[in-house]
Amino acid sequence: MTTQLRAYRETAAVTGYRSITVDRVSANIGAVLGGVRIDGDLDAATVSEIRRALVEHKVVFLRGQQHADDAAQRAFASLLGTPTLPHPTVTGADNSVLPIDAAEGKANSWHTDVTFVDRIPSASVLRAVTLPPYGGTTTWANTAHAYATLNPALQALADRLWAVHSNLYDYAAERTEKAIGGIDVKEEAYRAEFGHIEYETEHPVVRVHPVTGERSLLLGHFVRRIVGLSTRDSQDIFNLLQRHVIRLEHTVQWSWRDGDIAIWDNRATQHYAIADYDDQPRRLHRITLAGDIPVSVDGTPSRPLKGDASHFSPIAA
Ligand SMILES: O=C(O)CCC(=O)C(=O)O
Ligand SMILES: [Fe+2]
């Protein structure tokens, strides 16, 4: 355990939670927070406890926030971090609120958000707007726990690897899957917009968390290849590590209800939105918080290779 992590854990253990309640959903990831009604006026103690619960449990859930609209969500998110463009290429009606709408595509593939740029978002705040009558759960995996439970020999291997992440990941493979049900025209347009500028960044496969000092595996569906390996070796090593990240014991699955909000630490998680609700409408609104450039175990920062994402910087809340 690093000194940074030990110090962090000791502080957390001594102080406990006073302003909010924190109930684990499972052993390794996820907690429900109580005693919070979101708006822009939460007191500093509550905000700092929410932040702490977030880095400790990786994804936290708030229930009963039916009063919240986009403005309240944005005001709340601004207390936790700095809202940013949700994505360097996707635009929306309001550029800090990203509608996640089934009509425009389904995120049913394991990923960490926006890993193809150097400054990966630190966290996201996702609010249920329209839910299907069945299905439509979201699953998160704890990538720090995944690293911690890897065999030490594999940890040592992963510590030395770097991966290239790109927004032009294998859409063709996705299409084959989609072709079974036919390709939605709007979805095609969304994909065209999403991929119209290529971004590529080299990230360490193991990043050190800037708050807790924990090591975590940085992979997911934007990975194109592992640096220096042949295509086959690259695929095999990716599969070996990615399979470990998404072991069910490392995950939590959330059944959305009206008024729910999920907040995840995008520096220590992957997620997957399960597409098991047929053609029922489903819509959530996401506010994305700016993050910093990952660093490897020896302190080397990620390197952008293609695409200028310098505009992908904090915007005014
Ligand atoms: O639809 C969901 O539940 C999550 C979608 C997603 O990947 C995201 O909001 O980043
Ligand atoms: Fe996502």
Side-chain angles (χ1 to χ4, degrees):
M1 204 188 291
T2 62
T3 320
Q4 195 181 357
L5 178 57
R6 194 174 306 113
Y8 166 77
R9 289 228 170 119
E10 278 164 11
T11 317
V14 171
T15 28
Y17 290 96
R18 285 157 195 240
S19 307
I20 61 173
T21 59
V22 179
D23 293 300
R24 278 176 191 279
V25 182
S26 72
N28 300 319
I29 177 169
V32 175
L33 307 187
V36 180
R37 180 185 154 91
I38 72 155
D39 57 35
D41 293 328
L42 289 176
D43 60 87
T46 302
V47 172
S48 99
E49 291 193 359
I50 296 171
R51 281 203 179 134
R52 218 179 68 214
L54 177 61
V55 293
E56 212 162 295
H57 297 283
K58 317 307 187 206
V59 56
V60 294
F61 306 100
L62 304 174
R63 297 270 202 200
Q65 308 295 317
Q66 282 87 345
H67 66 280
D69 55 7
D70 283 351
Q73 184 182 357
R74 196 183 300 107
F76 169 66
S78 306
L79 296 173
L80 299 176
T82 311
T84 172
L85 291 170
H87 190 283
T89 67
V90 173
T91 51
D94 173 325
N95 60 7
S96 71
V97 176
L98 179 70
I100 306 281
D101 198 310
E104 287 171 356
K106 295 175 180 175
N108 57 331
S109 164
W110 281 104
H111 65 284
T112 296
D113 289 336
V114 205
T115 60
F116 43 84
V117 299
D118 55 352
R119 275 165 298 154
I120 299 175
S122 61
S124 283
V125 179
L126 189 63
R127 179 170 67 89
V129 176
T130 307
L131 297 172
Y134 53 84
T137 57
T138 309
T139 303
W140 285 264
N142 181 341
T143 57
H145 183 72
Y147 178 86
T149 53
L150 263 186
N151 176 284
L154 292 178
Q155 286 179 336
L157 168 67
D159 285 347
R160 299 183 54 182
L161 296 173
W162 285 69
V164 174
H165 295 236
S166 161
N167 58 329
L168 300 188
Y169 79 102
D170 197 0
Y171 288 130
E174 288 273 294
R175 277 211 185 94
T176 315
E177 214 172 278
K178 294 274 175 203
I180 300 163
I183 300 166
D184 186 292
V185 175
K186 271 196 248 156
E187 189 175 323
E188 281 279 45
Y190 179 82
R191 280 168 192 272
E193 185 187 14
F194 189 78
H196 77 277
I197 301 167
E198 187 177 5
Y199 293 94
E200 231 182 53
T201 301
E202 231 172 66
H203 289 295
V205 166
V206 178
R207 74 172 289 187
V208 178
H209 196 286
V211 178
T212 65
E214 287 175 301
R215 294 178 180 193
S216 68
L217 291 170
L218 172 47
L219 293 166
H221 74 193
F222 294 115
V223 171
R224 295 284 289 189
R225 59 184 181 275
I226 308 282
V227 177
L229 302 189
S230 69
T231 308
R232 274 193 198 160
D233 288 350
S234 190
Q235 195 61 52
D236 285 349
I237 295 289
F238 173 83
N239 289 341
L240 172 81
L241 297 172
Q242 178 68 19
R243 195 176 68 222
H244 185 70
V245 168
I246 63 172
R247 280 189 65 147
L248 291 178
E249 287 77 8
H250 305 164
T251 69
V252 64
Q253 186 171 342
W254 188 250
S255 254
W256 293 92
R257 284 196 227 142
D258 264 359
D260 280 1
I261 290 182
I263 311 162
W264 65 91
D265 185 340
N266 198 51
R267 300 163 297 195
T269 51
Q270 286 188 29
H271 53 278
Y272 183 120
I274 302 176
D276 58 353
Y277 48 99
D278 297 318
D279 294 326
Q280 313 281 345
R282 180 178 182 275
R283 187 180 172 96
L284 299 98
H285 283 182
R286 192 180 95 193
I287 308 257
T288 313
L289 300 178
D292 41 21
I293 299 175
V295 289
S296 70
V297 298
D298 64 5
T300 311
S302 300
R303 304 181 268 269
L305 300 177
K306 279 190 200 161
D308 177 9
S310 55
H311 63 287
F312 185 58
S313 56
I315 54 170

